[in-house]
Amino acid sequence: SCTFPDLRIGRPSLEQLLEQLPAQDAAARDRLAAQLVALGPEGVARLADMLVEPGTGDDNNARMALHGIAVHVSRTDAEQAGRLMYSQAVLAALDSDAAISVKQFLLEQLRFAAGPEAVGPLGKLLLDKQLCDPAVRILLSIKHGDVAATLREALPKTQGRQRVAIIDALGELQDKQAVPILTQESYSTERTIR
């Protein structure tokens, strides 16, 4: 049998990287973010697992690390693979039983890196009263053809503030296919929807 060298030898562990936070300067921050990205989806998943509801523990370094990765992978000169890895890892973390406040933080970070791969998973969050607004904001930032269809599909399954957020988003997208739906909504008995 053939054995392969462990390519991670010499790389700092997640715990060692977290000890370096906050970074002392921009160069250290960039180096640290690149090392965190190199940990891949497993590293992002471990960071997401470290998040706790505010007031129940100290997760500051995990939050700083997740934000640092988000900013790093969304740079204009960043490789697409890093952005995609981060987006998919955060989407996977959102599909957990984490507290709503943790999911809201993850959505704030996803906003930096989300692309077309996030449209479907974010569409499911449109049905969650507490996650609909941040999901709508991220969808609007993606600017992909499936966004309007995802919003149109979710609209009849929502009510109240969720419905208003989706209606506003469809208007902002100037989605022509939504015109008949929005015309019908203009006759709603709910003033905020009208």
Side-chain angles (χ1 to χ4, degrees), residues 14 21 26 35 72 86 112 115 122 136 139 145 149 152 156 165 169 174:
L14 176 60
L21 288 169
Q35 290 174 310
H72 187 77
Y86 182 74
F112 291 94
L122 288 171
V136 166
L139 285 168
R152 285 193 310 269
Q174 298 181 359

Side-chain angles (χ1 to χ4, degrees), residues 5 16 21 32 70 87 93 104 129 153 156 171 173 178:
Q16 290 169 324
L21 288 169
L32 188 56
S87 177
Q104 289 169 333
K129 288 180 182 178
E153 183 180 323
L173 291 172

Side-chain angles (χ1 to χ4, degrees), residues 25-92:
D25 55 38
R29 178 199 64 214
D30 293 344
R31 185 186 76 256
L32 188 56
Q35 290 174 310
L36 287 164
V37 169
L39 295 176
E42 297 81 13
V44 175
R46 286 185 55 208
L47 287 168
D49 286 344
M50 293 177 186
L51 299 176
V52 296
E53 289 189 74
T56 63
D58 182 9
D59 64 355
N60 287 337
N61 285 355
R63 287 176 184 259
M64 278 191 279
L66 285 165
H67 179 70
I69 297 170
V71 171
H72 187 77
V73 300
S74 62
R75 298 177 343 268
T76 54
D77 64 338
E79 292 184 23
Q80 178 70 2
R83 184 207 63 76
L84 184 61
M85 176 281 296
Y86 182 74
S87 177
Q88 290 174 332
V90 171
L91 288 166

Side-chain angles (χ1 to χ4, degrees), residues 10 85 104 113 128 141-142:
M85 176 281 296
Q104 289 169 333
D128 184 305
S141 72
I142 293 174

